[in-house]
């Protein structure tokens, strides 16, 4: 019988997911690791179940491509710096207009990309809209909103303490350690292969966390806290977290595309790191902050919330951290990083190099997707702080 296959192609051949990928790669065990993450961060839905975060039916007008030409006179080495920092996408916005953008091969303006912990800042804004409406109170304890967390590390913490990550919780955030809490939470969320004794879902996992009860004293970065906030959001709204983010935030930003979020076996949206969206839509989150809570003429979150985020946090609580070695006097506030610099810039960040950078001094917002080989290092954060300030200065002239 005559074969219908192209000449030289075996009947059992399996095309690779990306050029050079080995058969079966990336897998659930390897997709977060280099070099697989260069493909996987833009194809998360092929690896982990996801739920949509719908945009509005009437988005703001689309934005033209700009390239890098407008910045190259000031930054002639910009293309090399973007390549060296594993850039997947870059969007620079001023006054609602894209003044520069860049996409590596295989990524484009309509390609969604995983945000990692930039997702936390989206959760903080969602909480802010509920505080504005009087549906949440920052001084109230978590277990007043989620009784199932009574007795956990988070039960007697206030919402403000959770937002600022000053909860006393036993939680190891070592991304490379298979025995760490963060890897256990990944397994529960469906990001890694499960172990037999893992909790059934994120709800059950959060209830197992314990701590010393000395809240409000020290900054302790803990991804689980954002998922506690998402549970509080669900309790306050009666909506699943993806639907609450859509209703309260995403559908009001004028985004061009739906976002998405990974979901665990219990249907819980992975609030601390599971959102994917396009770089252009992500920039709108920064524009909302720069606009004191207003975008496209609509107030989405109050100016008071934005100011409290930008001016809040306790630098003393974060003293001695790697963050303050890069940003002396910096603080963490409402799930955003505040640099403490004279420029007043602040940002959202996720491991492997996901960023929203907001610079009020120049009126510039930068969104950047990356696929660093390492989850996070002090040097990568220094490189990017310098890159973003150079971009803002060049684009703001």
């Amino acid at each position: 019988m005559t074969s219908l296959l192209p000449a030289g192609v075996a009947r059992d051949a399996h095309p690779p997911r990306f050029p050079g990928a080995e058969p079966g790669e990336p897998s659930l065990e390897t997709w977060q690791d280099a070099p697989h993450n260069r493909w996987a961060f833009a194809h998360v839905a092929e690896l982990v179940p996801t739920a949509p975060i719908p945009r509005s039916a009437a988005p703001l007008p689309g934005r033209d491509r700009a390239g890098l030409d407008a910045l190259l006179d000031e930054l002639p080495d910009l293309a090399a710096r973007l390549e060296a920092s594993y850039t997947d996408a870059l969007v620079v916005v001023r006054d609602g207009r894209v003044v520069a953008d860049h996409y590596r091969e295989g990524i484009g303006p309509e390609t969604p990309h995983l945000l990692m912990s930039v997702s936390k800042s989206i959760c903080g804004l969602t909480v802010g809209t509920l505080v504005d409406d009087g549906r949440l109170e920052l001084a109230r304890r978590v277990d007043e909103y989620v009784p199932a967390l009574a007795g956990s590390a988070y039960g007697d913490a206030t919402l403000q303490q959770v937002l600022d990550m000053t909860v006393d919780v036993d939680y190891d955030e070592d991304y490379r350690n298979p025995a760490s809490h963060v890897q256990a939470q990944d397994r529960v969320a469906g990001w890694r292969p499960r172990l037999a004794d893992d909790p059934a879902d994120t709800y059950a996992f959060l209830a197992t966390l314990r701590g010393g009860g000395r809240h409000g004293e020290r900054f302790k970065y803990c991804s689980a806290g954002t998922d506690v906030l998402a549970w509080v959001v669900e309790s306050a709204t009666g909506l699943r977290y993806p639907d609450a983010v859509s209703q309260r935030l995403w559908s009001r930003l004028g985004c061009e595309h739906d976002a998405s979020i990974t979901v665990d076996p219990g249907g819980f949206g992975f609030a601390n790191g599971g959102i994917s969206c396009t770089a252009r839509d992500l920039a709108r989150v920064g524009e909302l902050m720069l606009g004191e809570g207003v975008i496209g003429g609509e107030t989405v979150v109050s100016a008071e919330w934005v100011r409290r985020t930008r001016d809040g946090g306790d630098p003393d609580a974060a003293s001695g951290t790697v963050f303050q070695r890069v940003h002396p006097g910096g603080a963490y506030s409402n799930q955003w990083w505040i640099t403490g610099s004279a420029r007043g810039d602040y940002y959202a960040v996720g491991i492997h190099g996901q960023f929203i950078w907001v610079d009020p001094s120049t009126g510039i917002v930068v969104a950047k997707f990356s696929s660093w080989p390492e989850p996070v290092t002090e040097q990568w954060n220094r490189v990017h702080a310098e890159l973003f300030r150079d971009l803002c200065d060049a684009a703001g002239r």
Side-chain angles (χ1 to χ4, degrees):
M1 186 172 77
T2 303
S3 173
L4 298 180
L5 295 172
V9 175
R11 185 175 295 276
D12 60 352
H14 297 288
R17 276 179 156 154
F18 60 90
E22 296 180 3
E25 293 291 357
S27 68
L28 203 57
E29 292 179 324
T30 63
W31 69 274
Q32 297 182 64
D33 301 327
H36 308 298
N37 61 351
R38 295 228 85 181
W39 177 88
F41 286 176
H43 298 84
V44 174
E46 293 192 34
L47 299 157
V48 185
T50 62
I53 300 175
R55 63 169 175 85
S56 168
L60 294 174
R63 303 195 257 206
D64 294 333
R65 292 288 308 274
L68 298 177
D69 290 349
L71 303 183
L72 292 179
D73 285 345
E74 296 283 343
L75 301 172
D77 61 346
L78 178 56
R81 291 170 73 177
L82 295 180
E83 179 66 23
S85 60
Y86 294 87
T87 303
D88 295 330
L90 176 84
V91 174
V92 182
V93 177
R94 182 182 186 185
D95 297 329
R97 184 175 64 88
V98 174
V99 296
D101 63 355
H102 171 78
Y103 300 92
R104 71 165 175 83
E105 185 177 357
I107 302 287
E110 298 186 354
T111 305
H113 190 288
L114 187 62
L115 304 188
M116 291 295 190
S117 289
V118 174
S119 304
K120 293 179 171 68
S121 303
I122 289 174
C123 184
L125 280 167
T126 303
V127 170
T129 69
L130 293 166
V131 172
D132 289 341
D133 289 354
R135 298 171 71 173
L136 292 175
E137 297 179 24
L138 297 176
R140 300 283 290 273
R141 289 166 43 136
V142 166
D143 58 12
E144 295 181 65
Y145 295 104
V146 184
L149 288 174
S152 75
Y154 283 92
D156 60 351
T158 67
L159 292 189
Q160 188 65 71
Q161 289 164 344
V162 183
L163 282 161
D164 293 347
M165 292 203 185
T166 58
V167 174
D168 182 5
V169 56
D170 297 327
Y171 189 96
D172 182 358
E173 189 95 10
D174 185 346
Y175 305 106
R176 297 296 198 192
N177 179 7
S180 67
H181 292 88
V182 74
Q183 281 216 14
Q185 193 169 3
D186 271 6
R187 295 195 304 271
V188 169
W191 282 33
R192 298 179 187 273
R194 290 179 60 87
L195 299 181
D197 58 350
D198 284 335
D201 54 28
T202 302
Y203 299 108
F205 173 83
L206 296 175
T208 69
L209 296 176
R210 297 293 181 264
R214 295 172 62 102
H215 307 312
E217 297 180 5
R218 297 292 301 164
F219 169 71
K220 180 178 175 61
Y221 189 82
C222 175
S223 286
T226 307
D227 295 301
V228 168
L229 292 171
W231 196 348
V232 170
V233 167
E234 290 188 337
S235 228
T237 63
L239 300 170
R240 292 180 64 206
Y241 181 70
D243 298 327
V245 173
S246 173
Q247 183 184 104
R248 307 293 308 185
L249 183 68
W250 201 256
S251 67
R252 304 170 66 192
L253 294 176
C255 293
E256 297 175 67
H257 300 281
D258 293 349
S260 66
I261 188 169
T262 66
V263 292
D264 72 10
F268 187 89
F270 202 33
N272 83 69
I275 294 178
S276 293
C277 70
T278 69
R280 285 152 60 123
D281 283 344
L282 185 61
R284 295 189 188 279
V285 178
E287 291 179 81
L288 177 72
M289 295 294 287
L290 191 63
E292 302 276 308
V294 177
I295 188 169
E298 180 181 0
T299 299
V300 177
V301 70
S302 69
E304 179 186 4
W305 181 264
V306 174
R307 287 193 294 267
R308 286 169 56 185
T309 300
R310 185 186 61 213
D311 301 335
D314 180 4
D316 290 338
S319 64
T321 61
V322 173
F323 168 62
Q324 282 204 353
R325 291 207 296 268
V326 179
H327 301 289
Y332 192 80
S333 176
N334 289 342
Q335 306 278 289
W336 288 76
W337 299 88
I338 315 304
T339 69
S341 76
R343 304 172 68 111
D345 42 16
Y346 54 96
Y347 64 102
V349 62
I351 59 171
H352 296 282
Q354 326 316 323
F355 287 93
I356 307 169
W357 188 274
V358 183
D359 185 12
S361 70
T362 58
I364 301 294
V365 170
V366 182
K368 184 178 190 285
F369 292 148
S370 319
S371 44
W372 301 345
E374 303 84 17
V376 63
T377 68
E378 179 178 341
Q379 181 58 23
W380 276 129
N381 283 333
R382 289 187 184 279
V383 163
H384 281 75
E386 181 179 359
L387 171 65
F388 293 140
R389 286 169 177 158
D390 287 348
L391 285 168
C392 290
D393 287 343
R397 290 191 175 95

